[in-house]
Amino acid sequence: MAQRNLILLGPPGAGKGTQAQRLASRFGVPQISTGDMLREARRAGTELGQRVAAVMDAGGLVSDDLVIALVEERLGRADARDGAILDGFPRTIKQAEALDGLVAKMGRDPVRVVAIEVPRAALVERLSGRRSCPKCGATYHLDFTPPRSPGVCDACGSALVQRADDTAEAISRRQDVYERDTAPLIEYYAERGALRKVSGVGPLEEVLDRVTRSLEA
Ligand code: AP5
């Protein structure tokens, strides 16, 4: 069976994490979110976590070499043998080139890329209302996808939190960084015939179906 190696590309708040979780369970492969991995390192208080905290909170990017090493290690684990949903990686041309090298070195099937498109004005509303579960990673929105009990994760009962980089200032910086460093990946993958584009506007299940259908085309 061919591996399902998929990259979800899109600006902050496009719904990459939301859809990656659903695609991972639909396809039976892990979600690999570099943002989640870095936040986990911070919670665990590791030296790596302490090193990246200030950069993340300000909405900047952590170093390419660091995230490339994290992804290489993660892709090498047994549960990623049949594929993986990459969420938040690659984010720069250097990371994309490194991923091409990893895919070749590890003998993995080529990656396909789905760009999730959402108008910029909607993104701020999504991010400022986001709440997430620090334990299981489930994501909610105060208005669009609220938990059954306010402030409590439906899946595991933990208290929900607001991310430190979901302030107005950090959101604006993240959007600028996306335009400058990550948006060029759309052309990078389009030139290689690997890119699909879907609208990320609408109910979560509809967006999920759009992503899945785009992979069949
Ligand atoms: P990361 O965690 O990857 O953040 P991001 O790319 O900014 O993306 P988000 O997680 O904010 O948004 P999302 O698209 O996943 O949206 P979500 O599904 O949550 O990275 C954080 C930081 O880590 C970076 O800034 C950087 O510092 C560092 N980092 C990570 N990877 C790196 C890398 N490769 N290189 C260097 N640095 C790296 O949805 C958002 C909200 O919208 C939620 O509330 C959700 O419920 C809601 N929503 C989702 N879909 C819909 C819908 N269809 N309709 C209505 N609401 C919706």
Side-chain angles (χ1 to χ4, degrees):
M1 193 186 71
Q3 281 177 337
R4 287 185 186 271
N5 294 315
L6 180 64
I7 294 169
L8 291 185
L9 205 57
K16 303 181 296 295
T18 302
Q19 296 302 333
Q21 282 185 353
R22 286 164 174 76
L23 289 162
S25 74
R26 186 173 277 195
F27 295 154
V29 298
Q31 169 193 11
I32 298 183
S33 159
T34 41
D36 285 349
M37 290 160 90
L38 295 167
R39 280 185 289 276
E40 177 53 38
R42 293 181 61 176
R43 270 195 297 279
T46 63
E47 190 255 325
L48 163 73
Q50 289 169 16
R51 199 146 40 97
V52 298
V55 177
M56 290 179 74
D57 288 351
L61 293 183
V62 310
S63 90
D64 287 328
D65 292 342
L66 194 154
V67 287
I68 291 164
L70 281 180
V71 170
E72 178 167 16
E73 187 279 328
R74 184 65 188 85
L75 278 177
R77 291 198 214 157
D79 66 343
R81 198 186 42 218
D82 295 333
I85 313 293
L86 291 169
D87 155 19
F89 180 93
R91 234 175 168 101
T92 62
I93 296 285
K94 184 174 172 191
Q95 292 178 21
E97 289 170 347
L99 180 63
D100 289 344
L102 280 182
V103 166
K105 185 171 92 174
M106 298 168 102
R108 297 182 72 92
D109 289 342
V111 286
R112 291 196 290 169
V113 184
V114 177
I116 303 179
E117 299 180 315
V118 175
R120 187 164 171 147
L123 296 170
V124 177
E125 193 182 11
R126 285 191 183 188
L127 291 175
S128 41
R130 171 167 56 188
R131 298 292 180 274
S132 19
C133 177
K135 190 157 175 225
C136 74
T139 303
Y140 302 87
H141 189 280
L142 293 179
D143 302 316
F144 307 139
T145 52
R148 284 191 294 270
S149 302
V152 180
C153 179
D154 292 348
C156 72
S158 301
L160 300 177
V161 297
Q162 183 168 26
R163 270 173 44 175
D165 60 350
D166 279 346
T167 60
E169 200 182 330
I171 290 171
S172 166
R173 171 100 196 276
R174 286 159 62 203
Q175 290 184 321
D176 292 345
V177 168
Y178 172 81
E179 294 300 334
R180 189 190 64 207
D181 294 332
T182 309
L185 293 181
I186 291 180
E187 199 181 325
Y188 180 91
Y189 286 115
E191 280 170 357
R192 287 158 179 75
L195 185 78
R196 302 284 180 275
K197 289 183 181 180
V198 301
S199 163
V201 177
L204 304 188
E205 294 303 319
E206 266 180 35
V207 178
L208 177 63
D209 284 343
R210 265 177 232 146
V211 174
T212 311
R213 277 202 307 275
S214 78
L215 296 171
E216 289 158 4

